[in-house]
Amino acid sequence: MGSEVRKLRLATGIEVPCFIDGDPAAKPLMLLHAWGESFESFDRLAPLLAGFRVYAPDLRGQGDADKPADGYSLAEQAADAAAILQALEVPRAFILGSSSGGYVAQALAVDHPESVAALVLVGAPLSLRGRPAFADEVEALTDPVDVAWVRDSLSWFPLLHEVPAWFIDDRVDDGTRMPAHVWKSILGGLCSAAPPTESGTIDAPTLILWGGHDHLLSLADEEILAARIAGSVLKVYPDAGHLVLWECPERVAADAMEFLGALG
């Protein structure tokens, strides 16, 4: 089936684009991108997800989505994700979230459990409470956001595998499309929120993928995350860093399809 990008007007009042691919009769799988990215961050993953109907939206403030002044709390981001499924007339879907997109996925599973059939959390945090080391840099941003700063910010997450230059360039483009207030508001919303697994219970079957050289998220935290989600599976990629999706799209696709396919 051919792919398309559909504009969606959400019940939450904003408009977002959503990349759609795969057989309309296949099981739905929604992909949630990380802070500062867009649905194009799944360009190397989506073609590998054969057998699923893939939905990959740009989340509020990012990519080509509307960029309002507010609405960037974790709960509001999860509400947007639920509204996207509603606008697509998809009552329930598998959810794959990368990095902070996996945090939004957890909040979606807690706040809107009826929408979530299963989770795949790729380099996703247990908690983002507090102020990360790079917060001062983000707080100092002004418009237009500097291209060199966005490219330099990628060094916060070292890569152990070669990633295509075009993919890196696209992520820099993602970052420069975000106004300074969005950079700040999303980070603030993530860091001020109660971790989803502390505020509620996730009952959905869950696969957790974590890079063994992740210097942002610890193995201890990932083990706690797995322990808080009954029956979840934690798989470590010993040769990857935080950006598992960027480094290992083939492995992520294979593991996600095996896990989700076994759910029937």
Side-chain angles (χ1 to χ4, degrees):
M1 303 295 294
S3 62
E4 62 170 312
V5 177
R6 188 183 304 171
K7 283 282 190 179
L8 304 174
R9 174 65 65 177
L10 306 185
T12 52
I14 65 166
E15 188 172 84
V16 305
C18 185
F19 171 83
I20 304 173
D21 191 33
D23 186 342
K27 292 182 178 179
L29 170 59
M30 186 164 74
L31 311 179
L32 299 178
H33 64 76
W35 169 57
E37 298 183 10
S38 73
F39 70 65
E40 293 177 354
S41 63
F42 295 109
D43 280 354
R44 298 166 66 221
L45 180 72
L48 305 175
L49 298 172
F52 294 95
R53 177 71 161 172
V54 171
Y55 300 97
D58 281 346
L59 299 177
R60 176 188 297 248
Q62 296 155 101
D64 290 327
D66 283 351
K67 299 170 174 64
D70 54 19
Y72 298 100
S73 71
L74 181 60
E76 287 167 317
Q77 292 184 62
D80 279 347
I84 288 166
L85 290 173
Q86 182 181 41
L88 291 165
E89 299 182 342
V90 175
R92 190 171 173 86
F94 298 135
I95 311 294
L96 184 151
S98 172
S99 188
S100 63
Y103 209 47
V104 176
Q106 292 173 57
L108 177 65
V110 168
D111 296 345
H112 307 273
E114 70 286 348
S115 299
V116 179
L119 294 175
V120 179
L121 305 177
V122 185
L126 164 70
S127 171
L128 289 175
R129 185 181 279 144
R131 185 175 176 84
F134 47 77
D136 287 344
E137 288 188 45
V138 175
E139 193 58 36
L141 288 176
T142 57
D143 292 319
V145 173
D146 184 64
V147 175
W149 178 84
V150 175
R151 190 172 293 275
D152 288 346
S153 74
L154 301 183
S155 67
W156 299 340
F157 314 110
L159 298 170
L160 282 75
H161 295 254
E162 185 174 351
V163 175
W166 66 263
F167 185 86
I168 299 293
D169 290 343
D170 283 356
R171 303 293 70 73
V172 173
D173 181 63
D174 285 344
T176 57
R177 284 190 284 167
M178 283 172 55
H181 82 271
V182 173
W183 276 99
K184 299 171 189 179
S185 296
I186 294 177
L187 183 61
L190 294 170
C191 293
S192 62
T197 56
E198 291 182 15
S199 61
T201 301
I202 296 175
D203 294 317
T206 300
L207 172 65
I208 302 168
L209 305 177
W210 177 77
H213 290 270
D214 190 333
H215 299 302
L216 180 66
L217 313 176
S218 70
L219 176 58
D221 277 358
E222 296 300 293
E223 290 173 337
I224 293 171
L225 177 61
R228 288 181 178 174
I229 304 175
S232 64
V233 177
L234 170 60
K235 183 167 185 176
V236 176
Y237 293 2
D239 58 341
H242 175 63
L243 297 175
V244 176
L245 174 70
W246 296 23
E247 296 193 68
C248 310
E250 295 85 3
R251 276 190 274 174
V252 170
D255 286 336
M257 288 195 297
E258 180 182 10
F259 178 77
L260 298 175
L263 298 177

